[in-house]
């Protein structure tokens, strides 16, 4: 996921904006801002064309960002919260009106750019770390399952040694069949988990969460 555009608006008037990619966001942004004002909801997510617009409305100020993927809503939310906090702390806002100069626009283009780069970079790192953690968990499960199977086999051998030859032959056969079923079930479970990991990787690659 990439944050490609962001802006700060007072009503429908954009105070500052920044786009990291080419193309025009003005028409879609105007529609989104209009919907935000009509609904007056603090948070909203709106699909417009190939982009997803996330908004945060606080005290009449709308903080907006556009992303190229709808799967991740946590990163845009954190981005908008950081931008809103930085905006409120700005000394220019101590006045009872917004200055007519471009002071806010110049200042907050830098703020928008700073946080866009930060969250775009962190999102990629976070996805990779999450995937590595999931793979590590699967390895841990597989190791525990194998240990359990080996322990079961040891108990089976110990039990067999305590029985007479006739009973050993019959019961060993039963235990062997049981062990085979246990091993087969573990094999099926590991196969499903492995396929799930590959499917997850394919989804992450296809949605650009992990860049190719």
């Amino acid at each position: 996921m990439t944050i490609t555009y962001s802006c700060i608006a007072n009503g429908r008037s954009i105070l500052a904006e920044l786009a990291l990619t080419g193309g025009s966001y003005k028409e879609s942004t105007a529609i989104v801002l209009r919907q935000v004002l009509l609904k007056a909801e603090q948070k909203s997510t709106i699909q417009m064309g190939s982009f997803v617009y996330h908004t945060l409305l606080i005290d009449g100020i709308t903080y907006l960002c556009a992303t190229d993927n709808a799967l991740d809503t946590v990163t845009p939310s954190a981005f908008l919260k950081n931008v809103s906090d930085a905006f409120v702390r700005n000394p220019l806002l101590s006045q009872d009106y917004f200055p007519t100069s471009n002071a806010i626009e110049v200042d907050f283009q830098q703020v928008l750019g700073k946080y866009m780069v930060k969250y775009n970079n962190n999102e990629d790192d976070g996805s990779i770390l999450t995937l590595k953690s999931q793979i590590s968990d699967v390895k841990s499960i597989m190791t525990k399952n194998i240990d359990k199977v080996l322990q079961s086999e040891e108990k089976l051998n110990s039990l067999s040694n305590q029985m007479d030859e006739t009973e050993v032959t019959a019961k060993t056969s039963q235990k062997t069949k049981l062990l085979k079923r246990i091993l087969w079930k573990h094999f099926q479970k590991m196969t499903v988990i492995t396929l799930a990991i590959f499917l997850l990787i394919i989804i992450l690659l296809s949605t650009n969460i992990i860049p190719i």
Side-chain angles (χ1 to χ4, degrees), residues 132-170:
K132 287 182 177 179
S133 176
Q134 291 171 337
I135 294 174
S136 177
D137 290 341
V138 171
K139 288 182 177 179
S140 177
I141 293 173
M142 292 178 66
T143 300
K144 290 180 180 179
N145 288 336
I146 292 173
D147 288 341
K148 289 179 180 179
V149 172
L150 293 176
Q151 290 174 6
S152 298
E153 186 176 5
E154 289 177 358
K155 290 180 180 179
L156 175 62
N157 291 334
S158 177
L159 181 62
S160 297
N161 292 332
Q162 297 174 6
M163 298 179 177
D164 59 65
E165 186 174 351
T166 303
E167 292 177 340
V168 166
T169 302

Side-chain angles (χ1 to χ4, degrees), residues 21-35:
T21 60
S24 176
Y25 296 87
K26 293 187 180 297
E27 183 177 348
S28 296
T29 299
I31 295 174
V32 172
L33 289 176
R34 184 164 61 250
Q35 292 186 19

Side-chain angles (χ1 to χ4, degrees), residues 1-2 45-54 66-76 123 206-209:
M1 188 217 72
T2 303
T45 301
I46 302 172
Q47 178 84 44
M48 296 288 292
S50 58
F51 294 100
V52 181
Y53 288 79
H54 307 265
T67 68
D68 57 3
N69 190 292
L71 295 178
D72 186 357
T73 59
V74 176
T75 301
E123 192 279 331
S206 63
T207 55
N208 291 325
I209 292 179

Side-chain angles (χ1 to χ4, degrees), residues 37-98:
L37 294 175
L38 287 174
K39 295 181 180 179
E41 296 178 350
Q42 184 181 32
K43 295 182 179 181
S44 65
T45 301
I46 302 172
Q47 178 84 44
M48 296 288 292
S50 58
F51 294 100
V52 181
Y53 288 79
H54 307 265
T55 65
L56 175 63
L57 178 63
I58 302 178
D59 296 331
I61 304 298
T62 301
Y63 307 90
L64 177 151
C65 70
T67 68
D68 57 3
N69 190 292
L71 295 178
D72 186 357
T73 59
V74 176
T75 301
S77 178
F79 167 81
L80 294 175
K81 181 62 168 61
N82 274 199
V83 171
S84 66
D85 290 343
F87 185 75
V88 172
R89 290 195 302 266
N90 192 281
L92 292 173
L93 303 183
S94 61
Q95 306 175 42
D96 294 332
Y97 62 92
F98 289 104

